[in-house]
Amino acid sequence: MERVSILGSTGSIGRQGIEVIKSSGAKVTAMACGSNIELLSEQIEELNPELVSVAYEEDAKLLANKYSDVEVMWGREGLIAVAESEADILLNGIMGMVGLEPTYRAIRKGRDVALANKETLVAGGSLIMGAVKEDGVRLLPVDSEHSAIFQALNSYSGTRDTSEIVHRVILTASGGPFRGYSMRELENVTLEEALNHPNWSMGKKITVDSATMMNKGLEVIEAKWLFDLKLSQIDVHIHPESIIHSAVEFIDGGIIAQMGVPDMKVPIAYALNYGERNSLGEGMTQYADLFEIGRLTFEKPDPSTFRCLAMAFAASEEGKSYPVVLNSANEELVRLFLNGEIRFIDIQNMLEIVLEKHQPVALNTLEDILAMDQEIRMKVRRKKW
């Protein structure tokens, strides 16, 4: 890794990724963010990239006037330009469906991708994995759970396919802030409570997804595509301590788990430095004290209360347009909740209605997927499904 481009440079993954990149001595050559141009300006001055992109034209004009030696773009074209720019690897840390197209374009340009954007594989799994195979690039997982599975699978040095050696993968989940809640208790959840994750520091959308357990549902679909698994090979275990990030149980009964303190810099570094185990740098590495932790516990998830998890399994099993609908409707419903327009419990209640009323169709191209995404978003915004 010598040259890295980043989508979402001012977000949580992007900021931590930059720390990892700086400690390795690599160069950030291109960056994209949304509207946090104050932080982006600081990153430009520190990293001196060749290309940056922002969401809005007016912000791009301000940056272009300030940094004449940097190419500045905006909007969809800017995201794609960053994704396709000359780099050894693209770190995709942006949130939501907006991450699908630039991931696809980067792969088609022959770029390796370190992926922290779940929606890419949830909505476009077949398309993306087909492109990965055709173009001979690497899609390296950054989500802590998928990185853990990836690391465990890398312990196998034989020649057989994953489907032949894996009995199941165990996706762990903290359970979020409402672990053990009843349906009645979920009806009174506040926004502040939903954003108070017990273990991880994340953006608002993914924190709400963790609280509804949709985040784990999306990860189930992502794992299916990344590791060529059947849904029957994927189990979800609630693990409140968040020390075991996930595990693989092989056909001989052996289980290999990846463990560590909750720190996203570890999976980011594993993806960016793939093939090497490098120090995160002075002051960044955290070590787990197992004596202090004391014990590791596990619980079964409650799909009757946290129905988003069951809906994700069902949408993936049904296939066709269902995973896109699941993802797009959820994104819009979370936005409505964050804006105070619906209750927390309404996210899963309304999502269930959207899925029940949807008439599935085949989605064979990127354009098909993006069109369905927009159609579902419009229905949810108008509450006409």
Side-chain angles (χ1 to χ4, degrees):
M1 173 185 70
E2 295 182 1
R3 294 166 60 88
V4 185
S5 53
I6 304 175
L7 299 178
S9 67
T10 60
S12 176
I13 295 295
R15 295 194 308 271
Q16 293 179 82
I18 287 171
E19 289 185 63
V20 171
I21 293 164
K22 284 164 53 181
S23 72
S24 73
K27 177 175 174 54
V28 177
T29 56
M31 301 186 295
C33 79
S35 58
N36 190 350
I37 61 170
E38 182 177 344
L39 178 53
L40 181 61
S41 295
E42 295 175 10
Q43 292 175 341
I44 291 171
E45 291 171 11
E46 179 182 20
L47 302 171
N48 192 29
E50 299 158 10
L51 167 68
V52 299
S53 178
V54 291
Y56 304 110
E57 185 176 12
E58 55 269 31
D59 290 337
K61 289 178 179 178
L62 288 172
L63 289 171
N65 290 332
K66 188 175 182 180
Y67 302 105
S68 58
D69 57 339
V70 179
E71 183 180 2
V72 181
M73 299 182 68
W74 65 279
R76 171 180 171 270
E77 289 186 1
L79 274 179
I80 294 172
V82 171
E84 293 183 335
S85 64
E86 288 291 337
D88 298 308
I89 191 167
L90 167 70
L91 173 60
N92 185 348
I94 57 179
M95 191 68 59
M97 271 289 289
V98 70
L100 170 61
E101 185 175 11
T103 302
Y104 180 71
R105 301 298 181 194
I107 291 168
R108 283 308 193 191
K109 276 288 186 178
R111 310 285 182 260
D112 289 341
V113 178
L115 186 67
N117 177 266
K118 294 178 177 63
E119 294 79 7
T120 287
L121 289 177
V122 171
S126 179
L127 181 76
I128 293 295
M129 297 312 294
V132 166
K133 185 175 182 179
E134 282 183 28
D135 291 287
V137 302
R138 293 181 298 194
L139 190 63
L140 303 164
V142 169
D143 277 342
S144 61
E145 295 83 358
H146 301 94
S147 177
I149 294 167
F150 188 50
Q151 292 178 57
L153 288 173
N154 283 341
S155 68
Y156 173 68
S157 58
T159 59
R160 285 182 291 172
D161 292 338
T162 300
S163 59
E164 296 181 78
I165 61 165
V166 172
H167 177 244
R168 64 172 175 164
V169 299
I170 300 169
L171 274 176
T172 57
S174 70
F178 309 127
R179 179 172 62 92
Y181 273 45
S182 66
M183 190 74 75
R184 182 178 296 276
E185 288 173 306
L186 290 180
E187 292 179 356
N188 300 313
V189 162
T190 66
L191 175 59
E192 183 180 8
E193 289 170 335
L195 293 176
N196 185 27
H197 195 282
N199 297 336
W200 294 92
S201 176
M202 306 175 289
K204 289 183 179 180
K205 193 268 182 182
I206 194 171
T207 303
V208 173
D209 280 347
S210 179
T212 63
M213 289 207 71
M214 174 56 81
N215 191 47
K216 207 53 49 180
L218 299 179
E219 288 174 4
V220 166
I221 301 173
E222 188 178 6
K224 167 191 166 182
W225 288 111
L226 271 173
F227 307 115
D228 192 22
L229 299 168
K230 299 175 182 176
L231 289 173
S232 59
Q233 290 176 288
I234 306 172
D235 275 354
V236 175
H237 286 31
I238 304 297
H239 172 51
E241 295 83 8
S242 294
I243 297 298
I244 293 178
H245 301 303
S246 279
V248 175
E249 183 176 48
F250 294 92
I251 54 174
D252 60 3
I255 296 177
I256 294 181
Q258 189 266 330
M259 303 170 63
V261 297
D263 181 1
M264 282 304 301
K265 288 189 287 294
V266 175
I268 292 170
Y270 191 81
L272 293 180
N273 299 312
Y274 180 59
E276 294 289 343
R277 283 280 189 181
N278 295 338
S279 169
L280 297 180
E282 186 176 352
M284 283 204 295
T285 302
Q286 300 183 62
Y287 297 100
D289 186 334
L290 297 181
F291 292 112
E292 183 177 334
I293 294 166
R295 66 175 184 169
L296 305 176
T297 60
F298 304 92
E299 305 167 10
K300 291 183 178 181
D302 178 6
S304 63
T305 301
F306 295 92
R307 301 197 306 280
C308 287
L309 181 59
M311 282 187 264
F313 269 99
S316 186
E317 184 68 41
E318 293 291 335
K320 292 188 177 180
S321 50
Y322 275 117
V324 176
V325 174
L326 174 89
N327 180 76
S328 303
N330 177 69
E331 280 192 27
E332 285 301 313
L333 291 167
V334 170
R335 183 185 62 81
L336 292 174
F337 172 63
L338 290 171
N339 290 341
E341 298 178 49
I342 62 173
R343 300 174 302 161
F344 177 80
I345 194 69
D346 292 331
I347 297 174
Q348 63 181 23
N349 288 344
M350 292 181 176
L351 180 59
E352 200 163 42
I353 295 171
V354 173
L355 289 167
E356 286 176 353
K357 294 193 174 183
H358 177 64
Q359 296 297 316
V361 295
L363 303 176
N364 299 316
T365 67
L366 177 65
E367 291 71 25
D368 289 343
I369 295 168
L370 296 178
M372 178 60 67
D373 171 65
Q374 290 304 308
E375 177 185 330
I376 295 302
R377 288 177 189 277
M378 192 61 66
K379 287 182 177 181
V380 174
R381 288 168 190 164
R382 295 174 177 174
K383 297 182 182 177
K384 292 183 178 180
W385 45 70

